[in-house]
Amino acid sequence: METIKVKIINRSHHPLPSYATPGSAGMDVRAYLPDGPITLKPLGRALIPTGLYMQLPHGYECQIRPRSGLAIKHGISLVNTPGTVDSDYRGEIGVIMINLSNEEFVVNDGERICQMVIKEYTRVDWEPVDRIDATERGDGAFGHSGIN
């Protein structure tokens, strides 16, 4: 497994994102709410600040993903999941949370609100053509293989 160095500024008073276990792919990220908690009403959404700013190496992105515990226990997810932080972005990382439950949910300062995964990516150089290779699946899309 490769390890890379990533420059990060932490303007919050919380620990840096960290892995919960040696096998974790994602790091827990905490809300930075110095002005107090934010209440998400049912179907409500809010941009939650983290106090984190990073400088990713070229060729890497940061993916922001929901936490499974918040999803199953409280119906909390992220609006754009996975969210992408590009390597040339230098602003504060914000997390767009949404409450998909029927009850209000309070986001508190320091609460673990999402997972952060750093991924290498490949850029595309398009090659326009008149046809592409056929496959057994062809153009079968949503539900093409049935239920069972």
Side-chain angles (χ1 to χ4, degrees):
M1 176 183 343
E2 181 183 359
T3 301
I4 62 168
K5 293 278 188 191
V6 175
K7 294 179 180 180
I8 189 165
I9 296 171
N10 184 359
R11 295 210 171 121
S12 80
H13 51 273
H14 305 300
L16 288 174
S18 61
Y19 299 101
T21 68
S24 296
M27 297 173 269
D28 290 329
V29 177
R30 298 175 183 275
Y32 176 51
L33 300 171
D35 296 330
I38 292 178
T39 300
L40 293 174
K41 296 191 180 300
L43 297 180
R45 63 186 181 272
L47 180 62
I48 308 296
T50 64
L52 302 174
Y53 302 74
M54 69 172 62
Q55 180 179 325
L56 291 165
H58 184 72
Y60 286 84
E61 66 162 327
C62 169
Q63 296 179 357
I64 303 295
R65 303 176 181 181
R67 293 193 66 233
S68 58
L70 288 178
I72 191 67
K73 294 176 185 172
H74 304 286
I76 302 301
S77 191
L78 307 183
V79 175
N80 62 325
T81 181
T84 297
V85 179
D86 295 309
S87 64
D88 58 353
Y89 177 68
R90 294 297 184 266
E92 181 178 11
I93 295 172
V95 178
I96 307 169
M97 297 183 75
I98 187 166
N99 181 355
L100 299 174
S101 78
N102 295 321
E103 299 175 10
E104 290 186 351
F105 180 81
V106 177
V107 182
N108 292 296
D109 182 50
E111 184 166 359
R112 294 177 297 150
I113 57 171
C114 67
Q115 294 275 307
M116 172 187 288
V117 176
I118 307 298
K119 296 290 294 175
E120 191 171 13
Y121 64 86
T122 302
R123 298 215 29 161
V124 171
D125 186 12
W126 293 112
E127 180 182 350
V129 296
D130 292 325
R131 73 182 163 86
I132 54 178
D133 296 341
T135 66
E136 184 178 326
R137 178 176 179 173
D139 63 358
F142 306 99
H144 82 280
S145 62
I147 296 175
N148 296 323

